Amino acid sequence: MSSISEFVEDTKSQAVDELSDLLRIPSVSTVSAHDSDCRHAAEWIEQYLKRLNFSRTELKADENHPVVWGVGPNAPGKPTVLVYGHYDVQPPDPLSLWESDPFTPTVRDGKLYARGVSDDKGQVVAVLKGFEAAVRNGEVPVNLRVLIEGQEESGGEVLFGLLEREPELTEADVVVVSDMAYYLPGYPAVYTGLRGICYAEITVRTAKADLHSGAYGGVAPNAHEALLRILAKLKAPSGRIRIPGLYDLVERPSKQILNGWKSLPFSETKFRKHEVRSRALTGLSRYTVLERLWALPTFEIHGISGGFTGEGAKTVIPSEAMAKVSLRLVPRQTASKVLLLLKKAVRELAPSYADVDIRSIHSGDPVLVNTDAPVFESLSRAFVEVEGRAPVLIRSGGSIPIVPELRKRGATMILTGIGLPDDGLHAPNEKLNLDQFYKGMEVFGRFFELLGEA
Ligand code: BES
Ligand code: ZN
């Protein structure tokens, strides 16, 4: 048994207790009612870094969603590793679908259930525990820098501002982002790209106020009808998004990349039945499911509000309707350009009698990263030792807004993770398998050790 795995064996139940303390803090960044909880989560992490003998810790840039900054114990001559993660989480609703309270971490069947356990608190703790394991015998393997933000789930504005003012915070040889999942159980992954996102709110107004649907029905314009017509026209039944210009910059991955994806174990039926849990998969059927997920843009309607949806019936013609929508973006597209295309398309589709307002809520650009630097060898070795398999190279359909900015700064960017695809990110009953958490501590511990030896 290596000293790392001994450490994990001896401390794993304490690690779960510590993680559970962090999970009890409802640090939802998307609604202001949780501002003080976000701050509290940041303070918790800062205290945790202090326990790890960090030489400097600071809460930076914002009262409500501070960025946790930390400098680990000094390791002269060793590489500098920047660990990025986020302590904020998505809202837990619908609450009624949770089997246990989202902020009361609960173990069932070897899985820890709580909002944020896989995305991203459990992963942040696993990396830091790995570091703790690797320094235990007195020698510090790497110069660790920690940058944990509290707005990843809401666009990352605070961190963008901070890095503009203090670019030196990101000086490092390697950046580690553990906010993703294995490809499949037993198949660790290193990510070569993330999609971007352009999230917007579309509001349609058709009259000064709501109207009696008997007195005015037949002549008065209906805001919901106008909005729905617009939305329905934005995507063809084939799955093709009808925003002129949207596909112009989409570049098909090379044959070599596509062949790599084709060689991954993948069962469309299993994926549909166990992950998507639907009767069918939709989208552009000319492309494989993985290509649709990783290399093509999307358009989704997240929710529609306005008008009457209360108990009973109310005969009213709504004068205003609002939809939250987003597009996922692929390499070469940019969020700012796509927002303009969306605005133009919506305005053109809107009936002349409707006032349409499109407001950006947040955005992030897509990113591709190289995975040929020597540090990937160390990570690969760590995964082989712990999991028995080297990571597969894949992309993610999800987004992490700050990653393109971090990548620009020159350090080698490692995108990986210890979750599993069925962890239920952003959904009810989010979980992290405890053995993934323990393996994660071990993988990162070995990774830091190997980096220190290199
Ligand atoms: N951890 C996820 C990113 C992710 C999702 C990776 C799925 C792998 C698979 C991240 O925390 C996230 O959810 N990001 C948001 C960003 C957005 C709100 C700006 C996302 O992708 O929706
Ligand atoms: Zn995340």
Side-chain angles (χ1 to χ4, degrees):
M1 221 191 208
S2 76
S3 65
I4 298 280
S5 47
E6 251 168 57
F7 173 88
V8 172
E9 202 45 48
D10 295 345
T11 60
K12 62 188 196 185
S13 76
Q14 191 200 332
V16 173
D17 289 345
E18 285 178 305
L19 170 59
S20 299
D21 286 342
L22 178 58
L23 291 167
R24 270 184 213 101
I25 307 171
S27 46
V28 179
S29 66
T30 56
V31 285
S32 52
H34 285 289
D35 284 358
S36 67
D37 296 313
C38 288
R39 181 163 186 94
H40 184 181
E43 285 165 354
W44 189 96
I45 292 173
E46 188 184 25
Q47 288 311 312
Y48 183 82
L49 297 180
K50 289 200 157 110
R51 291 204 293 282
L52 295 181
N53 293 321
F54 269 49
S55 62
R56 241 179 85 195
T57 64
E58 241 179 276
L59 298 190
K60 282 183 164 297
D62 193 66
E63 279 301 303
N64 300 323
H65 303 92
V67 174
V68 186
W69 165 245
V71 178
N74 204 17
K78 301 293 187 187
T80 299
V81 179
L82 175 71
V83 169
Y84 163 85
H86 62 96
Y87 62 75
D88 64 321
V89 303
Q90 289 263 329
D93 41 86
L95 283 175
S96 62
L97 295 183
W98 283 79
E99 278 173 42
S100 49
D101 181 82
F103 298 108
T104 307
T106 307
V107 178
R108 287 193 296 278
D109 198 19
K111 297 164 191 152
L112 182 58
Y113 288 85
R115 168 57 86 229
V117 65
S118 179
D119 184 11
D120 182 35
K121 291 172 174 175
Q123 308 221 36
V124 168
V125 172
V127 176
L128 294 174
K129 283 283 165 193
F131 179 71
E132 197 181 339
V135 283
R136 231 168 3 118
N137 40 21
E139 231 197 285
V140 186
V142 296
N143 289 289
L144 200 68
R145 303 277 184 276
V146 167
L147 194 61
I148 312 289
E149 71 161 316
Q151 267 190 337
E152 193 274 341
E153 302 289 7
S154 51
E157 216 179 296
V158 166
L159 182 54
F160 275 99
L162 176 64
L163 296 190
E164 206 171 300
R165 292 190 302 278
E166 299 184 50
E168 66 280 5
L169 295 180
T170 59
E171 277 164 18
D173 302 300
V174 185
V175 180
V176 175
V177 180
S178 184
D179 191 17
M180 264 73 58
Y182 274 34
Y183 173 67
L184 284 174
Y187 286 81
V190 162
Y191 289 75
T192 59
L194 302 172
R195 286 198 288 199
I197 189 166
C198 167
Y199 200 115
E201 193 174 283
I202 303 175
T203 308
V204 169
R205 175 162 279 286
T206 50
K208 272 264 176 289
D210 293 357
L211 295 158
H212 190 290
S213 67
Y216 302 101
V219 295
N222 182 312
H224 271 262
E225 188 184 317
L227 176 64
L228 292 176
R229 284 187 200 285
I230 296 170
L231 294 177
K233 283 186 201 136
L234 283 173
K235 202 197 272 179
S238 68
R240 192 176 166 84
I241 303 161
R242 287 174 162 155
I243 296 179
L246 182 74
Y247 290 97
D248 290 358
L249 286 175
V250 175
E251 188 177 42
R252 233 177 149 203
S254 68
K255 271 248 149 50
Q256 193 196 351
I257 292 173
L258 291 175
N259 285 337
W261 296 352
K262 282 199 184 112
S263 71
L264 293 167
F266 182 76
S267 155
E268 194 165 322
T269 310
K270 267 198 198 150
F271 174 75
R272 177 177 61 74
K273 281 197 174 153
H274 301 297
E275 276 192 61
V276 183
R277 296 190 286 177
S278 62
R279 213 155 50 219
L281 297 179
T282 56
L284 294 168
S285 54
R286 288 195 285 136
Y287 300 94
T288 64
V289 169
L290 295 182
E291 196 173 350
R292 277 181 257 165
L293 290 171
W294 297 343
L296 283 164
T298 67
F299 171 75
E300 298 295 344
I301 302 163
H302 301 291
I304 298 175
S305 75
F308 177 74
T309 54
E311 194 186 342
K314 180 182 173 195
T315 46
V316 73
I317 300 175
S319 56
E320 191 178 288
M322 187 271 279
K324 304 249 185 193
V325 303
S326 79
L327 293 113
R328 293 281 169 177
L329 315 177
V330 295
R332 296 179 68 208
Q333 295 182 314
T334 61
S336 56
K337 176 97 196 286
V338 166
L339 179 66
L340 293 178
L341 295 178
L342 172 71
K343 284 186 172 172
K344 189 154 181 275
V346 168
R347 295 224 166 88
E348 269 162 22
L349 291 172
S352 57
Y353 55 77
D355 285 337
V356 183
D357 182 57
I358 303 147
R359 193 169 69 90
S360 164
I361 301 204
H362 62 56
S363 62
D365 286 329
V367 66
L368 288 178
V369 301
N370 273 324
T371 54
D372 39 25
V375 289
F376 288 97
E377 266 310 303
S378 307
L379 182 65
S380 189
R381 223 177 110 188
F383 271 122
V384 169
E385 285 178 21
V386 175
E387 186 62 70
R389 199 189 308 270
V392 291
L393 291 181
I394 61 174
R395 288 193 201 169
S396 166
S399 315
I400 304 178
I402 202 68
V403 166
E405 180 58 37
L406 291 174
R407 202 219 52 169
K408 273 188 214 148
R409 295 164 182 243
T412 301
M413 170 72 73
I414 299 185
L415 305 174
T416 187
I418 56 150
L420 288 177
D422 68 351
D423 281 348
L425 315 187
H426 301 192
N429 304 308
E430 179 179 350
K431 58 87 178 161
L432 179 62
N433 292 34
L434 286 174
D435 62 338
Q436 290 293 121
F437 179 56
Y438 306 145
K439 280 189 281 190
M441 291 163 60
E442 216 173 315
V443 167
F444 290 117
R446 276 302 284 149
F447 175 59
F448 290 133
E449 254 183 8
L450 291 166
L451 282 185
E453 289 163 14

